[in-house]
């Protein structure tokens, strides 16, 4: 597949996936557009009897039918226009919402490597900003072809009926449009692509500013960040102005051609009227038709630029939706999920790298079912990467990871992730109520079971301080709660999930002593009966683990209990001395 799909491929994709099944309603809208467009031809044609029979001929009988006909044209045109605009607005909004849902659903299936190169702001712009192109296609492109193309045909039919020679003279400058229009279309597509990319940069900048507002204020960086955003916005303005200039160029060229044509027709046709070869009514009908021609023609000229602008966004959505995850569930699964008492974890000579340098090097260890295994070592030793591989957010380049003796890659992916509960240092809470953050959409939890979880996770202890109890909003990213409260909500979520394997990643490292004691008590209760892997820098929190795995530079350098490792000396004993300043 080419990096930049052709216009035909993009339009075909949009048609197959989003437009074809809505063809009945779209067909009705197109019929109404055709009626609206055809009425312009009827109006211009009625100019001939209005001038020749009524104004010049003085036919009083013709006054009534000409007035009724012109009124009918306007009423029919207004009714058709109102109805098709409502239909097209509905279709545009529905299809846009569907595209946004499809984009989000697909993005959530992609690997972590994808999110390392696509920032949240960029992806927000893809979902919200680029999908607005669908509205543009409905509001501008389809409407122009359905209404303005018919209007153009009906008006040109009138001009040809009156005098084909006049029509040819009016169109004499049309060939001059071909090359400039093609060049402008290419320029608009290119500048639109740049404009959308810069818009994504702006969204990324805002996302970083709002998420880092505390750091910005504490470091006095407001002016710096405002300046960086201003520069980014100015870049977008320049790109957008180039796009708009290209889009405006096509209608401007049409107006120049119109000037040439009108001058020719007025000169040639005026002489014929003076010579008595043509009537004033014929000229007025022709003149009205030609005057009305250039309005839909200008819109059709502009629609080519609008289409290129929209296709630049469609191209970006197409690229996202055709990005395939490398981590996929085997179909059918080659191994069943392990039973609750068969959750022994084995890493067998696992090597993994995000780039050139390996993060894990021939890593081998086991974590027995129902026991607690701690992973300790300096930052960058690869501890968190092990959690990433266990949950198949990434796969190792070499070696194997097995649970219950079965390779993870042979199991159903959704089922595999369902056997893990994860509590990390940065508890991921959403801007919903505390209840919603614990239940995470579950509707099968009884009040008694929920209360049991709240007590076990020590959430019940601070609920009385909350203005709405469980229904108190947690705030964006849980900002309405303290660090300890956020951790306890995350633990309650994990307890409710009741998964057989528990992964704890620095779950207490950022807490004060009092909060740490409460959270540690909740974690101790959570780990009972589960296969638990703990990442911790504070060795005091893991000294009672059944096994401690010591890692350095992606490799396992020591294994054993706390007492064994202290007696052995080595890295663990060194880390212990650094933290406690005493020999054990």
């Amino acid at each position: 597949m080419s990096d930049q799909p052709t216009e035909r491929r993009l339009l075909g994709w949009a048609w197959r996936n989003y437009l074809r099944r809505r063809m009945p309603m779209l067909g009705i809208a197109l019929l109404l557009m055709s009626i609206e467009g055809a009425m312009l031809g009827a109006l211009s044609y009625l100019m001939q009897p209005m001038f020749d029979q009524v104004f010049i001929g003085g036919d009083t009988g013709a006054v009534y039918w000409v007035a009724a006909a012109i009124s009918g044209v306007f009423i029919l045109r207004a009714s058709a226009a109102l109805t098709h605009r409502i239909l097209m607005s509905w279709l545009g909004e529905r299809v846009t919402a569907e595209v946004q849902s499809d984009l989000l659903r697909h993005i959530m299936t992609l690997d972590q490597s994808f999110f390392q190169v696509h920032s949240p702001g960029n992806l927000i712009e893809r979902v919200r900003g680029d999908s607005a192109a669908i509205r543009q296609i409905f509001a501008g492109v389809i409407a122009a072809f359905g209404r303005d193309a018919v209007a153009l045909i009906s008006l040109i039919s009138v001009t040809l009926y009156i005098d084909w020679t006049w029509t040819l003279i009016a169109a004499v400058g049309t060939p001059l449009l071909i090359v400039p229009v093609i060049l402008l279309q290419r320029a608009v597509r290119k500048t639109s692509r740049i404009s959308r990319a810069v818009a994504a940069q702006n969204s990324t900048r805002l996302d970083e500013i709002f998420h880092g507002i505390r750091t910005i204020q504490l470091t006095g960086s407001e002016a710096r960040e405002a300046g960086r955003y201003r520069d980014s916005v100015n870049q977008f303005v320049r790109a957008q102005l180039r796009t708009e200039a290209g889009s405006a160029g096509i209608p401007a060229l049409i107006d120049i051609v119109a000037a040439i044509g009108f001058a020719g027709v007025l000169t040639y046709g005026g002489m014929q009227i003076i010579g008595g070869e043509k009537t004033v009514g014929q000229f007025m009908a022709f003149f009205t038709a030609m005057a009305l021609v250039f309005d839909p023609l200008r819109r059709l000229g502009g629609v080519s630029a609008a289409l290129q602008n929209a296709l630049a966004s469609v191209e970006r959505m197409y690229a996202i939706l055709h990005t395939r995850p490398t981590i996929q569930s085997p179909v059918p699964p080659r191994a069943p999920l392990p039973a609750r008492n068969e959750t022994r974890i084995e890493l067998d000579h696992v090597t993994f790298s995000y780039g050139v340098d390996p993060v894990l090097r021939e890593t081998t260890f086991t974590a027995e079912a129902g026991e607690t295994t701690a992973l300790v070592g300096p930052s960058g030793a690869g501890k968190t990467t092990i959690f990433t591989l266990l949950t198949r957010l990434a796969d190792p380049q070499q070696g194997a990871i097995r649970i219950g003796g079965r390779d993870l890659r042979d199991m159903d992916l959704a089922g595999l992730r369902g056997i893990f509960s994860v509590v990390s240092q940065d508890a991921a809470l959403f801007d919903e109520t505390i209840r919603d953050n614990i239940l995470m959409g579950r509707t099968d939890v009884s009040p008694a079971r929920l209360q049991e979880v709240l007590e076990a996770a020590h959430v019940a202890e601070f609920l009385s301080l909350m203005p709405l109890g469980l229904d108190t909003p947690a705030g964006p990213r849980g900002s309405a709660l303290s660090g300890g409260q956020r951790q306890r909500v995350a633990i309650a979520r994990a307890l409710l999930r009741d998964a057989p394997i528990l992964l704890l990643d620095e779950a207490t490292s950022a807490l004060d002593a009092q909060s740490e004691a409460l959270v540690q008590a909740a974690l101790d209760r959570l780990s009972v009966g589960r296969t638990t892997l703990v990442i911790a820098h504070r060795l005091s929190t893991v000294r009672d683990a059944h096994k401690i795995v010591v890692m350095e530079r992606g490799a396992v350098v020591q294994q054993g209990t706390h007492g064994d490792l202290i007696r052995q000396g080595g890295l663990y004993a060194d880390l212990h001395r650094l933290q406690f300043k005493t020999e054990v």
Side-chain angles (χ1 to χ4, degrees), residues 33-50 65 69-70 72-74 76-77 147-162 281-282 284-296 299:
M33 291 177 201
S34 300
I35 293 173
E36 181 189 2
M39 290 303 99
L40 290 180
L43 180 64
S44 63
Y45 180 78
L46 289 170
M47 292 299 104
Q48 182 175 346
M50 186 173 74
W65 75 261
I70 291 177
V73 164
F74 278 105
L76 186 57
R77 184 169 185 266
R147 175 195 62 211
D148 296 327
V150 172
L152 195 61
I153 292 170
S154 67
L155 290 166
I156 291 176
S157 297
V158 171
T159 64
L160 288 171
Y161 175 77
I162 293 171
Q282 287 176 312
M284 289 306 301
F286 183 90
F287 186 84
T288 301
M290 289 306 300
L292 292 174
V293 154
F294 288 103
D295 195 29
R299 285 197 296 268

Side-chain angles (χ1 to χ4, degrees), residues 2-282:
S2 62
D3 291 336
Q4 295 179 359
T6 63
E7 181 176 315
R8 181 178 179 181
R9 176 180 288 178
L10 290 172
L11 291 174
W13 168 77
W15 166 256
R16 288 189 304 274
N17 290 278
Y18 298 105
L19 302 181
R20 182 166 57 189
R21 64 179 175 273
R22 293 179 170 85
M23 194 57 210
M25 185 170 291
L26 187 58
I28 294 172
L30 287 170
L31 176 62
L32 292 169
M33 291 177 201
S34 300
I35 293 173
E36 181 189 2
M39 290 303 99
L40 290 180
L43 180 64
S44 63
Y45 180 78
L46 289 170
M47 292 299 104
Q48 182 175 346
M50 186 173 74
F51 275 88
D52 287 345
Q53 294 179 240
V54 177
F55 295 156
I56 297 175
D59 185 351
T60 55
V63 171
Y64 300 105
W65 75 261
V66 170
I70 291 177
S71 298
V73 164
F74 278 105
I75 292 171
L76 186 57
R77 184 169 185 266
S79 301
L82 174 64
T83 308
H84 84 67
R85 281 177 173 80
I86 293 173
L87 288 176
M88 293 300 284
S89 294
W90 186 87
L91 283 169
E93 294 298 332
R94 293 302 303 169
V95 173
T96 299
E98 185 177 343
V99 171
Q100 290 177 346
S101 297
D102 287 351
L103 279 167
L104 179 60
R105 187 182 301 110
H106 181 73
I107 287 171
M108 289 192 295
T109 69
L110 299 179
D111 307 332
Q112 290 299 297
S113 58
F114 174 85
F115 296 98
Q116 288 172 358
V117 295
H118 293 85
S119 66
N122 181 292
L123 295 177
I124 289 170
E125 187 63 28
R126 292 287 180 101
V127 174
R128 294 286 297 169
D130 287 331
S131 62
I134 301 296
R135 294 191 193 94
Q136 190 174 358
I137 289 175
F138 274 94
V141 178
I142 295 177
F145 283 116
R147 175 195 62 211
D148 296 327
V150 172
L152 195 61
I153 292 170
S154 67
L155 290 166
I156 291 176
S157 297
V158 171
T159 64
L160 288 171
Y161 175 77
I162 293 171
D163 195 308
W164 63 270
T165 306
W166 289 1
T167 305
L168 288 178
I169 293 172
V172 68
T174 302
L176 300 174
L177 289 173
I178 297 174
V179 173
V181 166
I182 292 174
L183 293 176
L184 281 172
Q185 284 180 338
R186 291 177 180 174
V188 168
R189 178 83 170 271
K190 180 180 179 181
T191 56
S192 295
R193 192 181 295 124
I194 294 171
S195 177
R196 298 312 308 157
V198 176
Q201 287 181 357
N202 290 344
S203 294
T204 298
R205 181 68 61 200
L206 287 174
D207 178 72
E208 291 178 344
I209 288 171
F210 294 143
H211 285 157
I213 188 64
R214 180 182 176 87
T215 300
I216 290 170
Q217 290 176 338
L218 289 175
T219 57
S221 303
E222 294 91 341
R224 171 178 173 270
E225 293 302 326
R228 292 172 67 186
Y229 183 68
R230 183 181 61 250
D231 292 342
S232 185
V233 168
N234 288 338
Q235 186 181 358
F236 172 76
V237 169
R238 288 192 294 270
Q240 193 69 9
L241 285 176
R242 286 194 293 269
T243 300
E244 294 298 331
S247 300
I250 296 176
L253 287 172
I254 291 174
D255 284 342
I256 293 172
V257 170
I260 297 172
F262 267 123
V265 171
L266 187 59
T267 303
Y268 181 76
M271 292 299 180
Q272 287 185 313
I273 293 171
I274 293 171
E277 299 174 46
K278 295 289 184 182
T279 67
V280 172
Q282 287 176 312

Side-chain angles (χ1 to χ4, degrees), residues 447-498:
R449 173 58 180 157
L450 180 57
Q451 186 60 37
E452 179 185 340
V453 165
L454 296 176
E455 296 287 347
H458 296 279
V459 172
E461 296 177 13
F462 70 81
L463 279 183
S464 60
L465 305 176
M466 298 290 106
L468 298 175
L470 263 180
D471 296 314
T472 301
R477 296 193 168 193
S479 58
L481 305 179
S482 70
Q485 290 170 342
R486 286 196 297 271
Q487 290 298 83
R488 283 181 271 173
V489 170
I491 292 167
R493 180 193 296 166
L495 275 169
L496 196 61
R497 187 174 173 84
D498 195 26

Side-chain angles (χ1 to χ4, degrees), residues 567-578:
R567 285 189 294 271
Q568 290 175 18
L571 179 59
Y572 183 84
D574 291 342
L575 292 173
H576 192 272
R577 280 193 296 272
L578 284 173

Side-chain angles (χ1 to χ4, degrees), residues 103 122 140 252 318 361 396 435:
L103 279 167
N122 181 292
Y318 179 92
R361 308 167 189 264
R435 184 193 305 275

